[in-house]
């Protein structure tokens, strides 16, 4: 549950709580396909994934991003998030565990809001970076 | 290719409308391992200060999938879906999207450029989302990378 830190509490360099999900199963991929509406067979069918040049099915990039988003919404109420983006840096496969972490890179005041910028990443169990992201949240003074 | 990349810039797709359903949000939340009651229970959501059950942070992408927006650009360019990957995704948030909302959106191609002497084509699109009251709730900023080989 979000604990809503305040702007004055937060220091540049502070880390947000890490969040892990996994190992991700094929069932997780099937459920996310149905729930998200992304039915691309590269996430569901090994034969189709191999035909597309992949070693086998891969985890939906947007499932990984959803987990990265939870690392934000578990730290502050999601209504405080103003921007959230990431680059899809590497793929994940069933069996991988995704761990998200982040740290504060800047504090600023803009448009009457107290904004905190963060660098957030998702890594697999080997430490490879899967998602490289940024976020901005607005906090109470 | 059916349409050459530079001609794609500025292209706007048809306005779409999607109803945000409570059951869909709960299903999405379960599928991402979420257990915060605000995504499942109206009372919990209101208690946390939301108008209703809020859509999780990346749910706007599902709104665009439901509206059939994800392959507009590839179809126009005549690119097979297996040649494309999702390079990056961004969201901006101006107001909550909640269960019961009707979201209207429009996707626009904002940039197309190539790297590695044309071997990779980057297509950047923005999709603006508004709710039933005309409030601009947020935007999606998507980068699709096409292997042009």
């Amino acid at each position: 549950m979000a604990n809503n830190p305040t702007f004055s509490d937060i220091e540049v360099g502070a880390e947000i709580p890490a969040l892990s999900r996994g190992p991700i199963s094929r069932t997780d991929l099937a459920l996310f396909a149905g729930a998200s509406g992304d039915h691309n067979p590269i996430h569901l069918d090994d034969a189709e994934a191999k035909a597309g040049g992949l070693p086998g099915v891969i985890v939906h990039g947007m499932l990984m991003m959803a987990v990265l988003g939870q690392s934000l919404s578990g730290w502050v109420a999601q209504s405080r998030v103003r921007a959230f983006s990431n680059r899809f840096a590497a793929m994940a496969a069933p069996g991988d565990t995704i761990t998200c972490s982040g740290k504060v890179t800047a504090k600023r005041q803009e448009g009457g809001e107290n904004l905190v910028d963060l660098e957030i990443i998702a890594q697999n169990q080997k430490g490879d970076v899967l998602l490289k992201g940024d976020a901005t949240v607005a906090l109470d003074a | 290719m059916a349409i050459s990349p530079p001609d794609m810039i500025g292209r706007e797709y048809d306005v779409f409308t999607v109803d945000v359903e409570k059951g869909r949000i709960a299903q999405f939340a379960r599928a991402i391992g979420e257990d915060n009651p605000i995504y499942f229970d109206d009372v919990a959501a209101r208690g946390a200060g939301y108008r209703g059950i809020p859509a999780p942070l990346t749910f706007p992408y599902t709104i665009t999938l439901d509206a059939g927006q994800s392959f507009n650009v590839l179809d126009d360019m005549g690119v097979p879906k297996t040649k494309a990957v999702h390079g990056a995704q961004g969201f901006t948030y101006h107001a909550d999207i909640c269960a019961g909302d009707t979201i209207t959106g429009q996707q626009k191609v904002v940039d197309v450029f190539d790297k590695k002497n044309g071997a990779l084509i980057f297509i950047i699109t923005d999709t603006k989302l508004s709710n039933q009251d005309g409030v601009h709730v947020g935007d999606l900023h998507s980068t699709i990378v096409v292997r042009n080989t």
Side-chain angles (χ1 to χ4, degrees), chain B residues 1-72:
Chain B
M1 284 184 190
I3 295 176
S4 67
D7 294 342
M8 296 290 295
I9 299 173
R11 178 168 292 251
E12 284 182 310
Y13 292 95
D14 290 344
V15 171
F16 61 83
T17 296
V18 170
D19 291 330
V20 178
E21 294 164 358
K22 176 179 170 176
R24 184 65 178 283
I25 291 179
Q27 188 189 12
F28 184 95
R30 269 194 295 274
I32 65 173
E34 182 59 70
D35 58 8
N36 188 329
I38 63 168
Y39 300 110
F40 304 96
D41 177 32
D42 228 22
V43 175
R46 289 178 201 279
Y50 295 93
R51 276 188 293 120
I53 291 173
L57 290 172
T58 58
F59 192 84
Y61 192 80
T62 281
I63 291 176
T64 66
L65 283 174
D66 283 356
Q69 297 299 298
S70 46
F71 299 125
N72 281 342

Side-chain angles (χ1 to χ4, degrees), chain B residues 111-129:
Chain B
D111 201 10
V112 180
F113 56 90
D114 66 62
K115 286 188 182 177
K116 299 187 178 171
N117 295 318
L120 295 174
I121 300 171
F122 289 71
I123 304 141
I124 319 287
T125 73
D126 279 353
T127 304
K128 180 180 173 180
L129 302 180

Side-chain angles (χ1 to χ4, degrees), chain A residues 24-140:
Chain A
I24 306 279
S25 68
R26 285 168 186 264
T27 302
D28 293 330
L29 302 188
L31 291 174
F32 185 74
S36 72
D38 182 345
H39 306 150
N40 191 326
I42 62 169
H43 307 301
L44 299 167
D45 183 331
D46 274 325
E48 293 268 6
K50 285 174 183 165
L54 297 165
V57 299
I58 58 166
V59 177
H60 297 79
M62 289 306 295
L63 173 54
M64 299 195 286
M65 188 173 189
V67 174
L68 189 60
Q70 288 175 285
S71 74
L72 289 173
S73 59
W75 176 59
V76 294
Q78 70 157 55
S79 54
R80 294 180 177 276
V81 180
R82 295 289 175 269
F84 169 34
S85 63
N86 69 216
R87 191 164 61 76
F88 298 99
M91 293 182 285
D96 284 349
T97 293
I98 298 169
T99 299
C100 303
S101 60
K103 65 175 183 219
V104 173
T105 56
K107 290 173 69 172
R108 58 198 167 91
Q109 289 179 306
E110 198 179 297
E113 290 200 303
N114 301 305
L115 300 178
V116 170
D117 296 319
L118 300 125
E119 191 177 86
I120 47 177
I121 61 168
Q123 292 171 285
N124 64 16
Q125 63 282 1
K126 291 181 286 188
D128 302 326
V129 174
L130 306 174
L131 306 177
K132 195 171 182 329
D134 297 285
T136 300
V137 303
L139 301 181
D140 289 337

Side-chain angles (χ1 to χ4, degrees), chain B residues 97-114:
Chain B
I97 296 175
C98 293
D101 284 356
T102 297
I103 300 298
T104 297
Q106 187 170 29
Q107 186 181 25
K108 181 177 183 176
V109 180
V110 292
D111 201 10
V112 180
F113 56 90
D114 66 62

